[in-house]
Amino acid sequence: MANIVQFDKVGLRYGEGAETLCDISFTLTTGAFYFLTGASGAGKTSLLKLLYLAQRPTRGKIMLFGEDAVTLPRGRLPGFRRRIGVVFQDFRLVPHLSAYDNIALPLRVAGVPEADIDAPVREMLAWVGLGERVEARPPTLSGGEQQRVAIARAVIGRPEILVADEPTGNVDPDMAERLLHLFDSLNRLGTTVVVATHDFHLLGRIPNAHMMRLDGGRLLDPTGSLRFPPIQPDPASAS
């Protein structure tokens, strides 16, 4: 399958300090599922920022959708970003908009007619368990509810790439499983999925998922070749 992302000896430095990311080289295959793991401070969020074009690298080359993303003119960035769904660790919901309107926002930005927005937004709200919170604004939602709105907003447009930074950090285990199933379903439709997480309980939930590990700003497994076997149900719980 074709590569949708390629990093070649990428480095990232903030200010005058040491590099946050050093000599990062990897490829992401179209339609594959990846977990990005590493301890807090390993550089996961910084790597994701490069991936969804919120940050340009200090050095190295990034190819995205077959084009050089480092030299991409600023005028073309919005079009590229609309092809990437992002679940931010701090949600970044628009506080004065309802849950419905936050989720509908990517569709409206893309120019989807209003008549074609209502059904998918309400379906997504129901799927993440917020069918009764349509008009609720983010300040009135719990952290877990805000997380679910953020995820619904990120996936509603069926992006070519979905990038999620600790997407299950504010939800209970049952909802974490449900959201991971949503990511898996989107992946089966062809979306390349990258989930940054330190929750090792999730890593075996997606059959054939790849894992990339960051440590001190370096990739320990740049091929993503390490796989986890699917987690089997507990026999005792089935009886």
Side-chain angles (χ1 to χ4, degrees):
M1 300 180 72
N3 294 328
I4 196 168
V5 175
Q6 183 175 352
F7 278 48
D8 185 15
K9 297 182 179 178
V10 169
L12 177 64
R13 175 182 283 109
Y14 296 107
E16 300 298 324
E19 284 192 324
T20 300
L21 298 172
C22 182
D23 291 328
I24 303 293
S25 297
F26 66 89
T27 58
L28 302 184
T29 303
T30 302
F33 196 115
Y34 297 86
F35 284 110
L36 176 63
T37 69
S40 178
K44 298 190 300 295
T45 297
S46 292
L47 180 53
L48 295 186
K49 285 181 178 179
L50 293 175
L51 188 55
Y52 61 77
L53 303 178
Q55 185 79 40
R56 293 198 187 235
T58 308
R59 60 182 176 89
K61 185 175 184 179
I62 299 176
M63 297 293 293
L64 183 61
F65 306 123
E67 296 193 51
D68 188 339
V70 177
T71 61
L72 193 71
R74 291 191 177 276
R76 297 190 60 202
L77 283 175
F80 264 58
R81 287 171 177 154
R82 282 196 290 271
R83 300 166 72 179
I84 306 169
V86 184
V87 181
F88 299 100
Q89 197 169 6
D90 56 356
F91 315 140
R92 301 194 190 180
L93 301 175
V94 182
H96 66 275
L97 294 182
S98 66
Y100 179 103
D101 287 327
N102 266 283
I103 296 171
L105 192 58
L107 300 182
R108 288 174 173 148
V109 170
V112 176
E114 284 295 320
D116 297 329
I117 287 177
D118 187 68
V121 170
R122 291 185 182 277
E123 180 180 357
M124 190 62 65
L125 277 161
W127 206 97
V128 297
L130 294 173
E132 302 301 318
R133 306 303 308 275
V134 174
E135 298 300 329
R137 287 173 170 76
T140 70
L141 298 172
S142 68
E145 288 171 332
Q146 290 183 52
Q147 182 76 298
R148 285 182 268 164
V149 173
I151 290 172
R153 181 185 61 184
V155 305
I156 193 167
R158 292 193 179 180
E160 294 174 57
I161 301 174
L162 175 67
V163 177
D165 193 358
E166 301 288 355
T168 61
N170 290 280
V171 297
D172 60 49
D174 288 342
M175 182 53 66
E177 290 272 357
R178 189 172 181 180
L179 295 177
L180 201 61
H181 176 69
L182 175 60
F183 294 155
D184 185 38
S185 298
L186 195 68
N187 176 243
R188 292 173 186 272
L189 293 173
T191 296
T192 303
V193 176
V194 182
V195 175
T197 183
H198 63 266
D199 187 352
F200 280 86
H201 294 291
L202 297 179
L203 300 181
R205 301 294 182 182
I206 304 295
N208 299 316
H210 304 262
M211 187 179 81
M212 300 189 298
R213 296 172 295 173
L214 268 174
D215 183 32
R218 294 179 179 271
L219 273 180
L220 301 183
D221 186 32
T223 63
S225 59
L226 182 60
R227 309 273 184 108
F228 282 82
I231 293 177
Q232 301 300 323
D234 184 351
S237 65
S239 60

